[in-house]
């Protein structure tokens, strides 16, 4: 059986980037229309509008993706709202902003009361963890547009989050220097990226059922894939408010640890230590014959969020994070590297948004 890859499942990230250029050519011109101008370029984790008086309005938007299909398989919808909140607020943190509120958009095949109640329960729990409100939203019944794997249960869930940040406190990596330390915060598993590949490996190639108990996971494969994305708001905001000079923040999602390269600093990174990935990653890799390069490009591999700080602030940062029962650890450091690469202890080198093994 051939090796599983993201592209073999129909997710072509290279083609997506090429197609996006045409969209951005038009969308980018709209910044001339608004009274409040963006202070960041397109493509960062979140954007910021200048409201005047040194106040920035931070904005992010994201959805849950094909993790929703796993929810349909199990007919279980009470956690995906947490994922929707997490994907938005974690991105908003990356500019140094405090998330305040989020609006949700739900498109459904049918407006089933029990299903929508369960989705609402997850949104509530995600908002509680992130300490934000959901003051509004939208629901659309679009039977002809939305289908899924369970009749009548097809749906999509996305959100848009807002927060605030003083303009002189925006953090995009501009102050990173060689020698600054990278602190990694653990993920809770796959989170909400790479589920198309995971579903292909577990359900199509390995012929597993979502309810199948997996001893090495201690639960069913469906339950494992539905484990909610971890929300990092409370601990990261505590670090930002502590006086620690945070140089950069990175939400580790698709493209894995190359997300560190999105910051606005001409440095690379040498990561000497990585945590042991949750067992689901090794299981997926083994059953799908997925390469190390593909795994680290598609998944977080156990690191869900990163902070870059001055070495003098590392112990204080770790103490704050550990007070939140977050098992954070120093992964490595920033280095002078005009080619802007991320070097991992397993020999992989990330550049752009993919990983390769050096010859």
């Amino acid at each position: 059986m051939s090796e599983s890859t993201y592209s073999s499942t129909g997710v072509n990230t290279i083609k997506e980037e090429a197609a996006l250029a045409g969209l951005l050519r038009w969308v980018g011109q709209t910044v001339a229309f608004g009274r409040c101008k963006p202070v960041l370029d397109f493509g960062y984790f979140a954007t910021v509008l200048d409201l005047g008086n040194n106040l920035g309005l931070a904005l992010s938007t994201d959805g849950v993706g094909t993790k929703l299909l796993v929810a349909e398989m199990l007919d279980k919808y009470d956690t995906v709202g947490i994922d929707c909140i997490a994907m938005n607020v974690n991105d908003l943190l990356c500019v140094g902003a405090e998330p305040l509120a989020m609006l949700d958009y739900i498109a459904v095949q049918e407006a089933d009361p029990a299903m929508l109640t369960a989705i609402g329960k997850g949104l509530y729990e995600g908002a509680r963890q992130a300490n934000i409100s959901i003051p509004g939203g939208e629901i659309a019944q679009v039977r002809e547009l939305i289908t899924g794997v369970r009749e009548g249960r097809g749906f999509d869930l996305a959100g848009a989050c807002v927060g605030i940040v003083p303009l002189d406190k925006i953090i995009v990596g501009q102050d990173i220097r060689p020698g600054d330390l990278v602190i990694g915060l653990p993920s809770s598993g796959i989170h909400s990226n790479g589920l198309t590949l995971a579903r292909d490996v577990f359900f199509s190639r390995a012929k597993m059922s979502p309810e199948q108990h997996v001893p090495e996971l201690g639960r069913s494969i469906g339950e494992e894939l539905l484990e909610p994305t971890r929300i990092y708001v409370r601990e990261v905001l505590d670090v930002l408010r502590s006086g620690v000079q945070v140089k950069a923040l990175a939400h580790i999602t698709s493209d894995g640890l190359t997300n560190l390269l999105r910051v606005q600093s001409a440095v690379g990174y040498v990561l000497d230590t990585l945590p042991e990935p949750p067992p689901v990653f090794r299981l997926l890799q083994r059953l799908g014959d997925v390469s190390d390069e593909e795994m680290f490009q598609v998944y977080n591999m156990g690191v869900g969020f990163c902070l870059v700080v001055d070495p003098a602030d590392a112990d204080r940062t770790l103490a704050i994070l550990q007070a939140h029962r977050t098992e954070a650890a120093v992964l490595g450091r920033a280095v002078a590297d005009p080619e802007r690469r991320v070097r991992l202890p397993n020999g992989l080198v990330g550049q752009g948004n993919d990983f390769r093994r050096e010859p």
Side-chain angles (χ1 to χ4, degrees):
M1 188 175 290
S2 62
E3 173 188 314
S4 292
T5 65
Y6 217 11
S7 60
S8 71
T9 65
V11 181
N12 190 324
T13 55
I14 296 176
K15 185 177 181 180
E16 177 184 301
E17 289 180 9
L20 187 60
L23 173 67
L24 291 180
R25 186 173 69 249
W26 289 100
V27 173
Q29 296 180 62
T30 66
V31 299
F33 304 148
R35 181 170 67 88
C36 300
K37 302 303 181 184
V39 298
L40 299 177
D41 293 333
F42 279 87
Y44 207 64
F45 297 95
T47 192
V48 180
L49 297 181
D50 184 352
L51 299 182
N53 298 315
N54 196 41
L55 182 62
L57 179 70
L59 303 163
S60 66
T61 184
D62 207 343
V64 184
T66 64
K67 189 169 189 172
L68 300 178
L69 295 176
V70 182
E72 289 182 45
M73 289 176 175
L74 291 176
D75 208 20
K76 184 179 185 303
Y77 309 99
D78 61 348
T79 61
V80 291
I82 302 174
D83 293 288
C84 188
I85 300 286
M87 295 303 289
N88 281 279
V89 296
N90 289 345
D91 272 359
L92 207 70
L93 288 173
C94 294
V95 295
E98 176 185 359
L100 297 179
M102 194 190 87
L103 302 180
D104 65 276
Y105 170 76
I106 307 173
V108 296
Q109 192 175 17
E110 293 181 10
D112 179 81
M115 176 181 169
L116 289 171
T117 298
I119 294 172
K121 180 180 178 181
L123 288 169
Y124 166 85
E125 176 57 23
R128 186 194 67 80
Q129 292 182 28
N131 199 31
I132 66 169
S133 65
I134 305 175
E138 179 69 19
I139 183 169
Q141 298 181 60
V142 284
R143 168 171 282 278
E144 298 88 351
L145 186 64
I146 296 288
T147 59
V149 296
R150 187 183 289 263
E151 178 58 32
R153 291 292 195 266
F155 75 111
D156 194 18
L157 174 62
C161 189
V162 298
I164 54 173
V165 59
L167 296 180
D168 60 359
K169 299 292 185 181
I170 293 174
I171 301 170
V172 290
Q174 66 272 28
D175 296 322
I176 296 177
R177 300 291 182 268
D180 288 337
L181 298 182
V182 179
I183 294 177
L185 284 64
S187 71
S188 57
I190 284 182
H191 282 183
S192 297
N193 295 101
L195 269 295
T196 299
L197 177 57
R199 289 185 301 105
D200 180 69
V201 169
F202 292 126
F203 304 136
S204 297
R205 293 171 65 102
K207 307 299 182 184
M208 301 172 72
S209 72
E211 299 82 8
Q212 183 174 330
H213 181 81
V214 182
E216 60 195 280
L217 301 178
R219 54 183 169 178
S220 74
I221 186 61
E223 290 172 323
E224 176 67 34
L225 295 181
L226 279 186
E227 178 67 32
T229 303
R230 187 163 181 167
I231 292 173
Y232 300 98
V233 171
R234 294 178 185 268
E235 56 263 55
V236 170
L237 285 182
D238 270 3
V239 173
L240 290 171
R241 292 166 177 163
S242 71
V244 166
Q245 187 184 2
V246 178
K247 304 288 192 77
L249 308 101
H251 186 197
I252 308 303
T253 55
S254 58
D255 300 334
L257 287 161
T258 62
N259 277 282
L260 287 166
L261 300 174
R262 294 170 72 173
V263 303
Q264 296 179 7
S265 182
V267 298
Y269 301 89
V270 173
L271 305 185
D272 306 301
T273 304
L274 291 178
E276 179 64 25
V280 65
F281 291 112
R282 297 305 181 200
L283 179 65
L284 189 158
Q285 184 170 23
R286 184 176 76 250
L287 293 178
D289 191 27
V290 184
S291 68
D292 285 344
E293 293 89 335
E294 190 77 6
M295 291 296 297
F296 277 87
Q297 180 176 343
V298 175
Y299 297 109
N300 64 67
M301 297 303 285
V303 179
F305 201 90
C306 288
L307 303 171
V308 181
V309 301
D310 187 280
D313 288 325
D315 288 343
R316 186 179 177 191
T317 302
L318 290 170
I320 295 170
L321 296 172
Q322 289 162 3
H324 285 269
R325 299 183 179 180
T326 299
E327 297 178 2
V330 174
L331 305 182
R333 65 196 185 281
V335 296
D337 182 358
E339 296 188 49
R340 305 193 71 225
R341 294 166 292 188
V342 178
R343 295 183 178 273
L344 304 184
N346 59 8
L348 294 182
V349 178
Q351 190 171 24
N353 59 3
D354 61 24
F355 280 96
R356 297 179 182 177
R357 194 172 298 279
E358 282 192 331

